Amino acid sequence: MIRKPASGRWLWSGYLAGGLLTMAAYYVTVAAGAPAAVRVGLYCAVSISAAVAVLYGCLRNRPAAPLPWILLGASQLIYSTADTGFYVSHFVLGDTSFPAPADVLYLSHYPLVVAGLVALIRLRSPGRDLPGLLDAALLAVVAGMLSWLYLIAPQAQADSPALVKIVSVGYPMMDLAMFAVALRLILGTGPRPVPFFLLSTNLLAFLAADSIYVFQQLNGTYGAGNFLDAIWLSGNLALGAAALHPAMGKIAEQAEEAAPAPGPGRIAGLCAAALIAPAVLLIQYANGSYPDIPVAACACAVLFVLTIARLAGLVSEQRRLAITDALTGLRTRRHFEHQLAVEVTRAHRAHGGLAVLIADVDRFKSVNDRYGHPAGDKVLTEIAERLKEATRDSDLLARYGGEEFAVLIRDIGRDEPALIAERLRRQVAERPIVVSGDTWLDVTISLGTASYPLHGSTPAELVTAADRALYAAKAHGRDQVVPAKGQHGELPEPSLDLVALADEVDSWVSGHEHSRAVGRWAGQVARSLGLDPTAARRAELAGRLHDVGKALIPAGVWTKPGALSEPEWELVRRHPGHGAALVGSVPGLGEVAEVVRQHHERFDGTGYPDGIAGTGIRIEARIVAVCDSWAAMLADRVYQPAMAEEDAARELRTGRGSRYDPDVVTAFLALHARGHLGPLPNLNVP
């Protein structure tokens, strides 16, 4: 690592100290009445030194963006040349004519200053920082009004030659332009190292001194060697010291964050400035003089507009912060839920569609545990950027939780959500995420999708459906998309573990199919009764899984050849509840679980586990109850021989209205009579 000489760190302060001593010597010569050449030499030495310091600072510090400093250095070179010409002409040669060649140089340095400041502003906050622009505009309007009232208008109305008027008015006009740009720099965003404050001191010192100079010229009170020279010389020194400071290049660095909310001091200053225009009107009213009322009134109108714009910007910014996640820049969960409610209402009125996608970062906890939370934050921000790239401007993308993201998609068809979710999944998984210089991670996401009105008619139903689908995607291996099923459409397939468990339980008591047959028959009966496809599928799934709860009860209870004891019967009566708990653990099968719980309820209310009667029992459970009994009666079990189909049909007819729903029995036996049910097959367990 190359280090600059230690003297570089003190060069700027040494320059300031030397300049202040030279300035003190200048005032000593003024007080002592020293020869004009000595006074002029000391004054111009400070002015010229600032130009040399800026150019030397550019060569020594080599800023990444030298153009602003080159422009400022060139302007100071012209300014110091004008100083030399002015002071030599006035105090050495005795030529006090106005305007003079020095005035041309003075006026020509302003455009270079403005250009240099504009270049700095563009580097520090390219295309941003509207608050800083509005604040600068408000203060510039106030300054413009005061300059017009007390500097420009008196000069323009003075009884003097046209050229004198033009040059006299040119100074405050140029100062005003420089002041407006300087305000934009000072009030804008960007880093504020020591050179920033030194440069700001230079600008404000020149503006103050120039304005006072014009005012003194109007009053005829200006004299060389008064306090104004100290202000001008201090401004020169501040510019030179800013360029010599090692951090001079940092002024041009871009702002990393948006402008913070204005503090109390800034708000108080803006309020005070906005009140100056009406205060001027009151002063003129008190004095009985009204020549400048139009100017002050126009200033008041402009200030009012700028103040309203600033307030609107503050409100907009506060709203943006309230609905924006600080880490990822995405919308917040609260905003997502609010917009989802709005869009559901709109889709309902327009008979349109929308979709909710919920994504979760796979194994995100291991990233935090192994690489630390900064790496986890990097993963989340990068995933957010990739999701942004893969979504439309009209889609609402939000950070829904710690490592969860949600997307609200408007005006979408039934089959599109899964396609869009797959695109998002690929966008995240296609390349590793770099979390440090030599560390990169393969990160994937799982997604669940839900559509309105297919999977829900309320925001809560849609989010629940998408969340259950996400859970299924995680349960089935992650890095995949699972569409929601169940609420208003297809039901999810049961897990293979549950299906295998149902077959295993069946194998304990018989060599015939049981759950498979019950599920198949339940679906047929449901359709013959005119149930909608979802209810028919629900009956089919409940029939397939109705006995899985038996797995939580000792197998000996089911294989006991003799009569069961009361404690054993108590265990038997628990299996519908156990089965409901197992089935209900699968996202989307909540209603199927209810059917499983009720499949041993009786139509007359004497069943178990809850003693429900009649139509209080779900229709799917009443169907499963009939199919379950039929399959049990046809199977050869250790505690009961198989019945003939005629005897089983007689048992069903006997139980109509007591054990079974009469309509279900009628529909079942009608299917049997037509040969649609078929025999009970042998069980083939892999």
Side-chain angles (χ1 to χ4, degrees):
M1 178 177 177
I2 299 176
R3 294 182 179 272
K4 293 183 179 180
S7 60
R9 287 175 288 175
W10 305 107
L11 182 61
W12 68 278
S13 55
Y15 169 78
L16 269 181
L20 291 173
L21 289 175
T22 305
M23 187 169 66
Y26 166 74
Y27 274 98
V28 170
T29 61
V30 171
V38 176
R39 300 201 311 267
V40 171
L42 290 172
Y43 187 96
C44 293
V46 175
S47 181
I48 293 171
S49 72
V52 174
V54 172
L55 298 177
Y56 178 73
C58 289
L59 294 174
R60 180 182 180 85
N61 297 319
R62 298 186 180 280
L67 179 60
W69 288 103
I70 292 173
L71 292 171
L72 293 175
S75 72
Q76 182 61 28
L77 183 60
I78 294 174
Y79 186 86
S80 62
T81 303
D83 271 347
T84 303
F86 175 83
Y87 282 94
V88 169
S89 176
H90 277 59
F91 302 111
V92 178
L93 302 179
D95 181 7
T96 59
S97 60
F98 179 83
D103 294 301
V104 177
L105 293 174
Y106 278 131
L107 291 173
S108 63
H109 102 283
Y110 285 102
L112 290 174
V113 175
V114 171
L117 296 180
V118 169
L120 274 178
I121 292 168
R122 290 178 63 85
L123 289 168
R124 288 165 62 85
S125 53
R128 298 184 298 172
D129 191 22
L130 181 60
L133 179 61
L134 291 173
D135 291 351
L138 188 149
L139 295 177
V141 168
V142 174
M145 182 197 68
L146 295 176
S147 181
W148 174 267
L149 295 179
Y150 300 110
L151 300 178
I152 298 174
Q155 292 279 15
Q157 296 166 4
D159 185 13
S160 56
L163 185 58
V164 173
K165 286 186 178 182
I166 292 173
V167 176
S168 298
V169 169
Y171 278 108
M173 293 289 288
M174 288 293 186
D175 278 328
L176 188 59
M178 186 168 68
F179 181 65
V181 180
L183 284 174
R184 177 68 176 85
L185 174 69
I186 294 170
L187 298 177
T189 58
R192 296 172 182 265
V194 171
F196 174 84
F197 294 101
L198 291 171
L199 178 59
S200 300
T201 300
N202 162 261
L203 296 170
L204 296 177
F206 269 77
L207 292 165
D210 286 353
S211 299
I212 297 172
Y213 168 75
V214 173
F215 192 73
Q216 288 184 348
Q217 286 283 46
L218 285 170
N219 296 333
T221 59
Y222 173 71
N226 69 7
F227 69 93
L228 288 183
D229 288 346
I231 300 177
W232 274 314
L233 291 175
S234 298
N236 287 324
L237 292 174
L239 177 62
L244 293 174
H245 196 285
M248 56 95 77
K250 292 184 178 180
I251 300 181
E253 293 179 359
Q254 184 172 336
E256 296 182 358
E257 299 180 354
R266 185 160 178 167
I267 292 176
L270 293 172
C271 290
L275 293 174
I276 290 177
V280 168
L281 287 175
L282 290 174
I283 292 171
Q284 291 190 347
Y285 173 78
N287 294 334
S289 175
Y290 312 108
D292 300 311
I293 283 182
V295 175
C298 289
C300 286
V302 174
L303 290 172
F304 177 78
V305 171
L306 290 174
T307 302
I308 293 299
R310 186 66 166 100
L311 290 175
L314 285 173
V315 172
S316 176
E317 179 64 13
Q318 291 302 312
R319 181 179 183 277
R320 186 192 68 81
L321 292 174
I323 65 174
T324 302
D325 176 64
L327 176 64
T328 63
L330 303 181
R331 293 296 182 240
T332 60
R333 175 172 181 166
R334 177 178 296 181
H335 179 68
F336 179 89
E337 291 175 341
H338 171 75
Q339 287 301 118
L340 177 58
V342 172
E343 294 300 328
V344 166
T345 302
R346 181 179 295 132
H348 176 72
R349 286 199 303 261
H351 303 289
L354 62 87
V356 172
L357 279 59
I358 298 183
D360 184 84
V361 183
D362 296 327
R363 299 183 175 88
F364 181 73
K365 185 176 182 300
S366 64
V367 175
N368 279 335
D369 291 345
R370 183 172 181 182
Y371 300 99
H373 289 282
D377 291 346
K378 175 65 175 176
V379 168
L380 292 176
T381 54
E382 178 61 25
I383 288 177
E385 287 300 319
R386 296 184 185 185
L387 293 177
K388 279 189 212 175
E389 294 172 2
T391 51
R392 305 172 302 179
D393 292 339
S394 59
D395 300 335
L396 175 59
L397 176 61
R399 185 181 179 192
Y400 200 68
E403 64 269 20
E404 282 190 338
F405 299 88
V407 187
L408 171 59
I409 306 173
R410 305 168 177 89
D411 302 321
I412 191 170
R414 172 174 175 172
D415 298 327
E416 293 179 82
L419 298 177
I420 295 174
E422 178 61 21
R423 184 172 74 235
L424 298 179
R425 187 197 66 79
R426 290 197 305 268
Q427 181 78 3
V428 172
E430 67 179 0
R431 62 186 187 277
I433 294 177
V434 179
V435 295
S436 66
D438 56 352
T439 303
W440 51 269
L441 304 174
D442 287 315
V443 180
T444 60
I445 59 174
S446 300
L447 298 102
T449 74
S451 300
Y452 173 90
L454 183 63
H455 302 118
S457 57
T458 68
E461 289 176 354
L462 288 172
V463 170
T464 299
D467 199 50
R468 286 176 174 173
L470 170 63
Y471 181 88
K474 304 284 277 190
H476 285 84
R478 301 180 177 87
D479 190 22
Q480 58 185 278
V481 175
V482 172
K485 297 177 181 179
Q487 181 72 19
H488 289 277
E490 311 91 349
L491 290 166
E493 292 297 324
S495 69
L496 296 178
D497 292 338
L498 277 180
V499 171
L501 186 61
D503 289 340
E504 181 180 351
V505 169
D506 290 347
S507 69
W508 292 351
V509 296
S510 173
H512 290 90
E513 278 189 4
H514 183 76
S515 295
R516 292 182 185 179
V518 171
R520 184 168 60 251
W521 296 337
Q524 291 176 274
V525 174
R527 285 186 286 273
S528 73
L529 288 171
L531 271 63
D532 63 73
T534 302
R537 176 60 175 158
R538 190 157 45 240
E540 185 176 8
L541 286 176
R544 184 72 177 91
L545 302 174
H546 72 285
D547 272 347
V548 293
K550 291 181 176 180
L552 301 181
I553 296 171
V557 173
W558 308 109
T559 58
K560 184 177 180 179
L564 298 179
S565 64
E566 184 54 35
E568 289 171 332
W569 268 113
E570 180 61 28
L571 291 175
V572 169
R573 283 190 284 268
R574 293 178 184 175
H575 86 271
H578 294 328
L582 290 172
V583 175
S585 67
V586 179
L589 294 185
E591 291 184 277
V592 175
E594 289 184 32
V595 177
V596 170
R597 181 177 181 83
Q598 296 177 10
H599 80 277
H600 272 296
E601 300 290 352
R602 297 191 176 193
F603 201 70
D604 60 5
T606 61
Y608 60 86
D610 301 313
I612 308 171
T615 55
I617 306 168
R618 294 188 66 116
I619 181 60
E620 302 97 324
R622 287 176 265 154
I623 293 171
V624 172
V626 172
C627 298
D628 179 32
S629 295
W630 180 262
M633 289 186 288
L634 297 185
D636 190 8
R637 301 187 174 186
V638 294
Y639 52 82
Q640 143 188 317
M643 287 186 182
E645 291 185 355
E646 294 80 2
D647 295 333
R650 188 181 305 112
E651 286 291 325
L652 290 182
R653 293 189 189 98
T654 302
R656 292 177 60 179
S658 57
R659 182 168 184 175
Y660 310 115
D661 182 329
D663 295 335
V664 174
V665 172
T666 299
F668 183 89
L669 293 177
L671 289 172
H672 173 256
R674 292 195 295 268
H676 292 172
L677 301 181
L680 182 67
N682 291 327
L683 178 64
N684 181 20
V685 180

